[in-house]
């Protein structure tokens, strides 16, 4: 299929582009390169530099490239920032997504794969999370993703849009060959920051909260390898053939790691010690989040190749140690 990957120069999008190529599809990237990296897009893959919400530009690309399906990864992804600057998230993650969908409907493209998040669940009453549990986000990041999920449901009914919304847990790791990886500016995610503390690029790593009601007092998260995520996005294609398909899947390993466990995995993989600073909780962080992904496994045949934190961290380290400053601009 001809697949438009919106945000295809970003972290998860660029891994998905490579998986699409490996599966024999034709990816086309649309990215404004504000956070994305030209170097993350493989040679030969068309790269259209535009905003996801630029309906005219998106419409042209959809028609010119004969796009059959759109994957949407272009979103801001910082929970803490979304609490401090909600409008940034409402405009980019929600409003631009709606503009993208309007451009798709105008061009008659009715298959959509959406990057959603476990943050749509808020602070869950029970774990692991299954797709039918109540969604009550506790930060604007999660709220904007939930709002788009709800818009998608309405568009499936009104216009026969077929969509899959994948609720990611914590995307982590990098391509096994080390060619692409995670490079956010600013970086706020735990694993890359732990690498920086291990290598001395930063003096220490602050742990946000050590008084959570968890076994070691730090938050529990479900880290899932970016290539495992990407494969699910492609495995869902046959299910989008039916008009009006409205599909929701959790994607996580179901094996949570605490922040301290992540630090230990980074120390083991890098062979270096990390200086820890115990800080206060970060606003917007639930104590524990982990997935029941049996629906994706059952319906999509989704298989997790990297089930544990150490194997995920090892791939991330291969990228990070070869590119300590990221892609460079
Ligand atoms: N975290 C931390 N120190 C940092 C960055 C993150 O303790 O410098 C914690 C954060 O509070 C959360 C976990 O690491 O409990 C994962 O956060 P991250 O930002 O990597 O992903 P998120 O869960 O926000 O998507």
């Amino acid at each position: 299929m001809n697949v438009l990957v919106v945000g295809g120069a970003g972290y998860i999008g660029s891994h998905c582009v490579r998986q699409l190529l490996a599966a024999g599809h034709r990816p086309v990237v649309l990215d404004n390169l504000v956070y994305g990296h030209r170097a993350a897009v493989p040679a030969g893959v068309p790269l259209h530099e535009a905003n996801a919400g630029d309906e005219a530009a998106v419409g042209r690309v959809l028609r010119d490239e004969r796009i059959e399906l759109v994957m949407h990864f272009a979103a801001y992804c910082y929970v803490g920032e979304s609490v401090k600057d909600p409008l940034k998230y409402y405009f980019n993650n929600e409003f631009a997504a709606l503009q993208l969908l309007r451009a798709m409907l105008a061009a008659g493209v009715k298959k959509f794969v959406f990057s959603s998040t476990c943050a749509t669940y808020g602070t869950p009453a029970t774990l692991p999370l299954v797709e039918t549990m109540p969604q009550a986000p506790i930060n604007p990041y999660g709220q904007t993703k939930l709002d788009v999920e709800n818009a998608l449901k309405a568009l499936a009914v009104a216009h026969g849009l077929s969509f899959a919304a994948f609720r990611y847990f914590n995307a982590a790791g990098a391509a096994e060959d080390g060619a692409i990886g995670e490079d956010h500016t600013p970086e706020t995610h735990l694993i890359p920051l732990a690498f920086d503390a291990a290598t001395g690029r930063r003096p220490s790593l602050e742990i946000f909260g050590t008084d959570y009601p968890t076994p070691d007092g730090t938050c529990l998260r479900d880290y899932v390898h970016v290539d495992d995520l990407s494969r699910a996005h492609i495995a869902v294609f046959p299910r989008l053939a039916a008009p009006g398909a409205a599909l929701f899947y959790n994607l996580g390993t179901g094996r949570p790691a605490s922040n301290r466990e992540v630090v230990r995995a980074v120390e083991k993989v890098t062979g270096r010690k990390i200086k820890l600073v115990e800080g206060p909780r970060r606003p917007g962080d639930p104590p524990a989040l982990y997935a029941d992904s049996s629906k994706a496994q059952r319906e999509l045949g989704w298989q997790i190749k990297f089930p544990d934190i150490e194997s995920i961290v090892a791939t991330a380290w291969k990228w990070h140690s070869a590119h300590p400053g990221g892609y460079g601009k």
Side-chain angles (χ1 to χ4, degrees):
M1 268 205 281
N2 294 330
V3 179
L4 183 64
V5 186
V6 179
Y11 172 44
I12 304 174
S14 61
H15 285 79
C16 218
V17 165
R18 283 170 49 113
Q19 297 288 337
L20 282 163
L21 288 171
H25 296 287
R26 192 177 85 84
V28 172
V29 170
L30 185 135
D31 199 299
N32 63 11
L33 298 180
V34 170
Y35 287 125
H37 307 277
R38 198 179 289 277
V41 180
V45 172
L47 168 59
H48 298 271
E49 208 174 322
N51 287 322
D54 183 339
E55 289 178 53
V58 170
R60 270 195 305 277
V61 173
L62 292 175
R63 289 184 187 89
D64 293 352
E65 300 278 10
R66 300 177 177 279
I67 297 298
E68 299 162 82
L69 181 148
V70 174
M71 292 183 172
H72 182 36
F73 298 96
Y76 298 137
C77 61
Y78 303 129
V79 167
E81 182 186 58
S82 81
V83 175
K84 290 190 188 117
D85 188 2
L87 279 180
K88 184 169 177 179
Y89 283 72
Y90 277 92
F91 272 98
N92 187 68
N93 290 12
E94 185 161 338
F95 188 53
L98 299 179
Q99 289 173 304
L100 171 64
L101 286 160
R102 194 158 57 183
M104 284 176 58
L105 292 178
V109 178
K110 293 196 173 178
K111 291 180 183 152
F112 191 63
V113 178
F114 180 57
S115 286
S116 191
T117 169
C118 61
T120 58
Y121 293 111
T123 304
T126 55
L127 289 162
L129 279 154
V130 291
E131 289 83 353
T132 48
M133 282 180 178
Q135 289 172 288
I138 60 166
N139 51 60
Y141 170 69
Q143 185 64 53
T144 57
K145 293 281 187 173
L146 178 58
D147 290 347
V148 175
E149 282 195 5
N150 286 330
L152 291 172
K153 281 189 213 166
L155 294 176
V157 173
H159 302 293
L161 179 82
S162 296
F163 73 89
F166 288 108
R167 296 180 189 145
Y168 310 150
F169 284 64
N170 284 57
E176 275 181 282
D177 63 3
I180 57 172
E182 187 167 14
D183 176 3
H184 293 114
T185 306
E187 187 53 81
T188 65
H189 293 103
L190 182 62
I191 294 172
L193 290 178
F195 287 145
D196 283 348
T199 55
R201 283 173 61 85
R202 288 171 198 260
S204 59
L205 175 72
E206 182 172 346
I207 295 279
F208 299 144
T210 51
D211 59 348
Y212 282 100
T214 57
D216 68 15
T218 66
C219 288
L220 288 171
R221 291 289 179 275
D222 182 339
Y223 294 86
V224 53
H225 196 279
V226 63
D227 277 343
D228 281 334
L229 289 182
S230 300
R231 277 190 286 273
H233 291 62
I234 298 163
V236 81
F237 285 0
R239 291 190 169 253
L240 298 179
L247 304 169
F248 297 92
Y249 297 100
N250 286 341
L251 294 179
T253 64
R255 293 174 54 174
S258 75
N259 293 342
R260 288 193 201 279
E261 284 169 330
V262 171
V263 169
R264 276 200 295 278
V266 169
E267 287 182 332
K268 188 161 174 209
V269 166
T270 61
R272 302 170 202 207
K273 199 85 194 125
I274 294 174
K275 183 171 182 294
L276 287 184
V277 174
E278 298 191 357
R281 294 182 179 193
R282 185 176 68 175
D285 268 344
L289 290 170
Y290 52 96
D292 177 333
S293 297
S294 54
K295 185 180 177 206
Q297 290 168 25
R298 198 172 55 244
E299 292 190 2
L300 309 180
W302 186 52
Q303 288 179 357
I304 299 167
K305 195 168 165 190
F306 301 92
D308 61 289
I309 188 66
E310 224 175 277
S311 66
I312 294 171
V313 166
T315 64
W317 177 237
K318 183 167 180 181
W319 154 260
H320 194 97
S321 53
H323 305 84
Y327 289 101
K329 279 280 175 192

